[in-house]
Amino acid sequence: FAVGAQKTRGYLEVEFPGQRGWPIDEIKEFSYVSDMMGLGDTCSFSIVGDETGETLRRLPIGALVRLKLQNPAVNKGRWTLKHLGRIITRDAALESGVIKVVSADLGWHLTSCHAPLYKRFRGLKLNDVVNPAAGFIDPSFGFQGLRTSDANAINRRLKQGRALLQAEQQRVLDALQVVQVEPGESFYDCLTRYAARENLLIGVTVDGYIQLWNPDYERNPLYSFESSGARSNVSDARRHDEAASRYTDVTVVGEALALGIQMNDPNDPNAQKRRGSYRAPGVLPFINRHTSGDGEMLDGKMAAAAAEWTWKRGLFDSHYIEVKVPDHYQGDSWYESDELAQIKFPGLSTEGRYYVQSVRCDSTVKDGDVTTLTLRWPYLLSAAYGVWGSRPKLSDPSDTLALLPGIKEGQ
């Protein structure tokens, strides 16, 4: 299968306080990553420097970067914003005269920067903590605001270069139980475990918003990949399965305080424990038990929901299809994460609807435009309080068995 030529062009806008914005359209090569599970998705690019060092000085560490891509086959050839981030590394060499720069999206601030020590959250709602306007997230990071109710629809449309939808009304979330930020905790460490309680993922949009969201699996697939008989539209595809995170029995244990003397048995060290479990014995022919403790599981129902979240995430991690294709688009749509794909690979014993977790678009002089997509089973990131929906029909019997709902119990 032929590899595509370099058809996609890249364009950068670089901003730094105290300096004029600088447009760069002479990008030699680039690599763009979009991963719906990631914070701090990276974009790397190579630029030809100059003997005076002026080009290097215009690419300072920490500068704000916008990457736009253009291809005649997509969006009527108009430039599309694909990445908003900060320059986190740069390398320059005299012999080649090339400057290599890596930019990470604004989520890098949440995962790499530590939160203010001993900041107290008691009585605050998750909205108040995550919203950049509320004061916990440092304003120097450059976030524009918070979205909670659009299920990533706005971000998907922006990355496809389509018209912006009106944001839905913000969802009001429950109060946090956490007391304070502890030493060594990043912003993401503080937020992610409480987002899971609300059945939400944390992400950052291409227009600079922090987003609390759920994947929307009830859409038509945007892409189709096939390699069967004489028909193929992929360069390669491979399947990966593993047993380690395919759990048959998950238990989460919490602790309820101040239960009263009648429930605090001094002879029973587990009297104050509250336990929840999720069992799915069909996923493996043996027991693969996973147990964990979480002091903020205040009752069995909450612990059971956390157990289901752990089981689903483990199953999500246990299987993927990696597809390699020429070009950075299919039809008139860019390849992007948080989309759906219909696949048919008899040689990999799989056929059905998959969820696009990540996309890596590479454009090099040697190999042209190449995209690698990582596809996962759908309906597994709906967190603890989600619904299964209409599961895809998969050709491998073990896949169908793995995706059957399990049994949830709390006490």
Side-chain angles (χ1 to χ4, degrees):
F1 200 94
V3 176
Q6 266 189 300
K7 305 171 187 175
T8 303
R9 296 173 57 207
Y11 173 82
L12 289 174
E13 296 174 355
V14 181
E15 298 179 10
F16 194 80
Q19 297 183 10
R20 295 179 58 186
W22 187 41
I24 306 172
D25 57 5
E26 296 299 326
I27 300 176
K28 186 177 180 181
E29 298 181 336
F30 68 84
S31 179
Y32 160 70
V33 176
S34 171
D35 187 340
M36 53 71 55
M37 289 296 293
L39 282 174
D41 285 348
T42 59
C43 162
S44 59
F45 47 90
S46 299
I47 301 171
V48 178
D50 64 274
E51 295 181 353
T52 68
E54 178 65 20
T55 303
L56 185 63
R57 288 190 292 273
R58 290 184 175 181
L59 295 165
I61 289 292
L64 190 69
V65 172
R66 292 180 179 84
L67 171 70
K68 298 180 179 181
L69 298 182
Q70 184 267 341
N71 191 297
V74 185
N75 196 26
K76 298 181 179 180
R78 292 189 290 263
W79 290 96
T80 302
L81 178 64
K82 305 293 280 184
H83 173 89
L84 172 68
R86 303 277 186 185
I87 294 178
I88 57 171
T89 66
R90 65 177 186 178
D91 293 276
L94 287 177
E95 183 177 358
S96 65
V98 173
I99 303 170
K100 295 183 178 180
V101 177
V102 175
S103 170
D105 74 38
L106 297 183
W108 179 87
H109 291 294
L110 302 181
T111 58
S112 299
C113 301
H114 285 191
L117 194 59
Y118 303 138
K119 172 70 175 179
R120 291 182 175 271
F121 294 150
R122 177 166 288 174
L124 297 178
K125 296 184 182 297
L126 186 58
N127 307 65
D128 302 324
V129 178
V130 181
N131 193 337
F136 176 58
I137 306 296
D138 198 288
S140 68
F141 297 164
F143 291 111
Q144 299 300 305
L146 171 67
R147 292 189 184 129
T148 60
S149 303
D150 60 11
N152 206 40
I154 292 176
N155 196 44
R156 283 197 306 271
R157 292 182 68 87
L158 286 173
K159 287 194 169 187
Q160 292 292 350
R162 294 170 184 155
L164 185 64
L165 292 171
Q166 182 178 357
E168 297 179 18
Q169 185 176 359
Q170 297 286 6
R171 171 179 168 184
V172 178
L173 306 173
D174 290 339
L176 301 185
Q177 301 296 325
V178 66
V179 176
Q180 64 184 13
V181 177
E182 297 297 338
E185 287 191 315
S186 69
F187 289 90
Y188 181 74
D189 294 331
C190 298
L191 301 176
T192 182
R193 56 184 176 269
Y194 303 103
R197 308 270 200 277
E198 297 277 357
N199 185 28
L200 295 168
L201 302 170
I202 296 180
V204 173
T205 68
V206 74
D207 56 342
Y209 283 77
I210 298 176
Q211 184 162 268
L212 296 169
W213 67 291
N214 290 123
D216 175 13
Y217 299 113
E218 297 299 328
R219 293 174 280 144
N220 292 326
L222 189 60
Y223 315 123
S224 177
F225 302 111
E226 179 179 359
S227 183
S228 57
R231 295 174 57 86
S232 178
N233 64 345
V234 303
S235 304
D236 194 13
R238 68 185 186 94
R239 173 176 178 154
H240 174 79
D241 297 276
E242 60 181 274
S245 65
R246 198 168 293 192
Y247 308 123
T248 61
D249 190 326
V250 178
T251 301
V252 175
V253 179
E255 186 168 0
L257 304 178
L259 298 177
I261 190 170
Q262 72 276 13
M263 297 184 68
N264 288 332
D265 184 353
N267 298 315
D268 183 0
N270 298 317
Q272 293 176 268
K273 299 291 191 297
R274 291 295 174 263
R275 183 167 63 182
S277 64
Y278 191 88
R279 294 184 293 109
V283 298
L284 287 173
F286 53 85
I287 296 297
N288 183 16
R289 183 178 294 108
H290 182 280
T291 63
S292 63
D294 188 333
E296 294 180 15
M297 296 290 102
L298 304 182
D299 55 44
K301 182 179 179 181
M302 182 181 286
E308 182 180 354
W309 166 258
T310 300
W311 180 82
K312 285 184 176 181
R313 177 58 196 272
L315 193 60
F316 179 87
D317 291 339
S318 75
H319 167 81
Y320 64 81
I321 303 291
E322 186 179 87
V323 179
K324 188 174 182 180
V325 293
D327 295 319
H328 297 154
Y329 63 93
Q330 187 175 106
D332 60 354
S333 298
W334 295 105
Y335 286 129
E336 268 296 338
S337 64
D338 188 40
E339 297 288 358
L340 295 167
Q342 188 73 23
I343 69 172
K344 185 177 181 181
F345 299 131
L348 299 180
S349 189
T350 189
E351 178 179 355
R353 188 158 51 106
Y354 271 70
Y355 182 66
V356 182
Q357 178 206 328
S358 67
V359 167
R360 189 183 76 241
C361 297
D362 298 303
S363 182
T364 65
V365 174
K366 178 183 177 182
D367 297 324
D369 292 350
V370 178
T371 300
T372 304
L373 303 94
T374 300
L375 312 178
R376 303 275 188 175
W377 283 327
Y379 296 105
L380 295 176
L381 292 178
S382 58
Y385 306 94
V387 295
W388 280 91
S390 55
R391 293 181 300 282
K393 295 180 179 179
L394 303 171
S395 60
D396 193 315
S398 65
D399 295 349
T400 303
L401 187 63
L403 289 176
L404 291 175
I407 303 167
K408 183 165 58 175
E409 298 176 344
Q411 63 186 42

